[in-house]
Amino acid sequence: MKVFRLEVITPERTVFDGDVQSVTLPAEDGAMSVLAGHAPLVATLEIGPAKVVKADGTKSWLMLGDGFVEVTHNHVRVLADVGEPEDTIDLKRAEESERRARERLKSKAGDLDLVRAEAALARALVRKKIVRDLRPARDSRHP
Amino acid sequence: MKGVRELKRRLKGVKNIKKITKAMEMVAATKLRRLQDRALATRPFASRIESMMQRVAGVADQLVSPLLLVPETCTAEALVVVGADKGLCGSYNSNLFRTLVQHLRAAEAEKRQVRLYVFGRRAQMFVTKLKGTDLKAAYPEAVEKLDYRTVKRVMGQLTRSFEGGEVQRVNVLYTRMKSMASFKPTLQTLLPVPRPTVGADAPTTDYLMEPSPERILERLLPRYLEMQLFAAVLESLASEFASRRMAMKNATDNADGMSQQLTMEYNKARQSGITGELLEIIGGAEALKGQ
């Protein structure tokens, strides 16, 4: 299978840099998969899980904050506010931040806080989904 | 000649000060190194955002965004001042404050209101003491500890007050590091955003834009602004540390020179004391011999 280079860059560091077979991203218009030889593209991304199939065929997940993807000649760059590889996600912390975000939404503070709480909630839910559903599903298929 | 004991006391004092300045020099050097790593890590993101802006500019000829519009008149401006938390860093603070005062005077002459947003405790202290300033926000976080999220929040506030028409311009005053030994307070305009031009590495191929170039630009601009402000903060910090390291190195060198001078004086004083005593003894012995 043909591979291409994927970089996941956040403002504070590069989270992932390596050859992959494919990557599935949470684009604004819906999930989008990129394979080698994709046409040049710039798209906006939402908060969501990204699936990476590495060059050796192993799959892994990333939690992405909102951002962009830029596809050039066999080089995909993902620019996101936040990027967390699955092994850095902590379920307890995700649940904790989910609880906090829900509380803030309930308290109905200013509009701005609401937007931020919604984003925090969305991130927490993606983290939970990765740890609770996506990762176990993969691991049970390949014991 | 001063008393031997007095000299000894001063010598000890100078040596103690030297130890402190040496330690501060080393702390500043370490912090600077760590900061340079941090600044380096943000570079890929910043440069990609910029090249993406150019790419979008290359596709859409008529870019529309309220953030790109230059208001006709400017009666109020927001000014972000990136200062230091501490002193003892040479002329870093005073240079920044001088530029700030100049800018405020110029704005006053043009009848332009300036709303200040201040990072750094030292800068906050200075601004509070100034008369007739409009301090909108002072951020209690240590400048060193500022992360991208905080900067993003601040930039969001500023963008909203620009969009709401409360201010017609947003500037940032920070210290640019021209070299390891030369720092320059610099004023940069954040908003309105200078219209992106089609860069030299403009695409030769057509890019698919999803959902649309306008939407991408709408989401790119805030990121771009945050990165600009974040870069200003990091650059100011680097200037502060480098400036402090230099100031402390000079202080250490001065203390070195002084302690050498004092050691010499002390030795001379001690020697002349001994010589004096000897003369007295010899004189006394001679007097006894004569009897």
Side-chain angles (χ1 to χ4, degrees):
Chain A
M1 184 119 181
K2 269 191 186 163
V3 293
F4 59 93
R5 183 160 170 221
L6 172 71
E7 276 180 278
V8 180
I9 308 166
T10 69
E12 273 160 339
R13 63 180 169 278
T14 300
V15 181
F16 182 93
D17 185 357
D19 285 339
V20 300
Q21 290 180 6
S22 83
V23 58
T24 307
L25 297 163
E28 198 174 345
D29 290 348
M32 172 184 83
S33 283
V34 178
L35 293 166
H38 195 287
L41 162 92
V42 176
T44 48
L45 302 178
E46 302 273 87
I47 296 169
K51 186 171 99 176
V52 178
V53 182
K54 290 189 191 138
D56 59 7
T58 54
K59 287 179 194 138
S60 74
W61 298 88
L62 282 160
M63 194 283 289
L64 289 183
D66 58 5
F68 310 89
V69 59
E70 184 186 24
V71 183
T72 53
H73 186 70
N74 268 349
H75 192 159
V76 177
R77 294 187 184 92
V78 173
L79 306 176
D81 272 10
V82 199
E84 292 173 13
E86 57 170 51
D87 47 352
T88 64
I89 297 172
D90 183 43
L91 187 62
K92 273 214 187 87
R93 274 182 55 198
E95 279 169 346
E96 180 63 20
S97 63
E98 182 193 350
R99 197 183 53 74
R100 253 181 294 134
R102 281 195 200 282
E103 256 169 36
R104 260 184 291 160
L105 284 177
K106 234 187 266 168
S107 72
K108 293 213 176 79
D111 292 350
L112 172 66
D113 286 338
L114 224 60
V115 173
R116 252 190 283 158
E118 269 166 12
L121 180 61
R123 282 195 296 269
L125 290 178
V126 173
R127 288 193 192 103
K128 256 173 73 177
K129 189 176 172 191
I130 290 177
V131 177
R132 281 239 198 100
D133 309 334
L134 300 174
R135 202 161 63 177
R138 171 199 62 195
D139 293 346
S140 63
R141 243 175 281 146
H142 304 281
Chain B
M1 202 156 282
K2 281 171 202 149
V4 178
R5 194 171 299 175
E6 166 70 4
L7 277 172
K8 199 167 183 179
R9 203 179 57 78
R10 277 188 63 196
L11 186 60
K12 214 171 147 192
V14 168
K15 279 189 174 157
N16 276 338
I17 289 173
K18 193 187 132 185
K19 269 185 212 153
I20 295 169
T21 55
K22 182 84 200 163
M24 286 179 78
E25 180 193 335
M26 259 136 75
V27 170
T30 316
K31 283 191 175 168
L32 179 64
R33 212 169 310 131
R34 215 175 300 149
L35 188 80
Q36 276 166 336
D37 292 344
R38 239 180 109 191
L40 220 59
T42 65
R43 204 155 290 166
F45 194 89
S47 72
R48 289 330 298 172
I49 290 281
E50 261 173 55
S51 79
M52 226 188 255
M53 289 258 288
Q54 292 174 351
R55 222 151 247 170
V56 178
V59 173
D61 342 306
Q62 288 286 307
L63 288 171
V64 201
S65 163
L67 302 185
L68 292 168
L69 281 180
V70 183
E72 281 163 29
T73 53
C74 182
T75 55
E77 99 174 58
L79 179 65
V80 187
V81 180
V82 190
D85 285 321
K86 293 183 189 118
L88 289 179
C89 43
S91 53
Y92 175 84
N93 280 313
S94 53
N95 282 345
L96 186 78
F97 297 159
R98 198 179 321 125
T99 317
L100 174 62
V101 170
Q102 270 168 15
H103 182 75
L104 290 176
R105 284 219 190 99
E108 205 179 348
E110 290 168 31
K111 302 242 179 305
R112 194 171 67 235
Q113 210 190 334
V114 181
R115 300 176 182 197
L116 291 168
Y117 297 76
V118 184
F119 287 115
R121 270 189 290 273
R122 272 273 149 159
Q124 283 161 18
M125 263 155 60
F126 179 77
V127 169
T128 356
K129 271 190 230 148
L130 274 181
K131 281 194 190 93
T133 49
D134 181 11
L135 180 62
K136 273 278 165 216
Y139 300 94
E141 295 95 340
V143 183
E144 254 180 86
K145 299 260 158 62
L146 280 179
D147 56 359
Y148 184 74
R149 274 173 76 177
T150 318
V151 170
K152 181 180 166 153
R153 211 185 61 221
V154 174
M155 197 60 233
Q157 278 174 9
L158 293 167
T159 308
R160 269 188 306 282
S161 65
F162 179 81
E163 280 176 327
E166 291 154 46
V167 294
Q168 289 82 41
R169 198 182 298 162
V170 178
N171 287 335
V172 58
L173 177 65
Y174 70 104
T175 307
R176 210 157 61 85
M177 193 163 151
K178 283 163 77 186
S179 74
M180 283 305 247
S182 160
F183 320 100
K184 197 176 182 323
T186 309
L187 191 78
Q188 193 193 332
T189 300
L190 294 173
L191 282 165
V193 177
R195 190 159 282 272
T197 46
V198 185
D201 63 335
T204 43
T205 43
D206 279 338
Y207 277 79
L208 296 169
M209 298 274 173
E210 272 173 32
S212 65
E214 288 78 22
R215 176 83 181 122
I216 291 173
L217 184 73
E218 188 188 320
R219 299 221 356 212
L220 258 176
L221 282 170
R223 285 300 99 74
Y224 175 75
L225 287 168
E226 288 153 15
M227 267 339 271
Q228 298 282 58
L229 187 58
F230 193 49
V233 169
L234 291 182
E235 182 114 4
S236 289
L237 268 176
S239 301
E240 181 193 334
F241 294 149
S243 186
R244 176 167 299 127
R245 193 188 60 175
M246 220 166 60
M248 288 303 117
K249 188 174 174 353
N250 289 341
T252 310
D253 291 350
N254 282 344
D256 239 352
M258 256 173 98
S259 84
Q260 253 176 32
Q261 180 72 29
L262 283 171
T263 310
M264 214 141 79
E265 269 178 45
Y266 168 72
N267 284 343
K268 270 189 195 154
R270 196 179 61 106
Q271 188 58 56
S272 75
I274 293 169
T275 314
E277 268 172 42
L278 271 176
L279 280 175
E280 267 167 41
I281 292 168
I282 293 166
E286 289 290 323
L288 279 178
K289 222 188 268 174
Q291 273 177 356

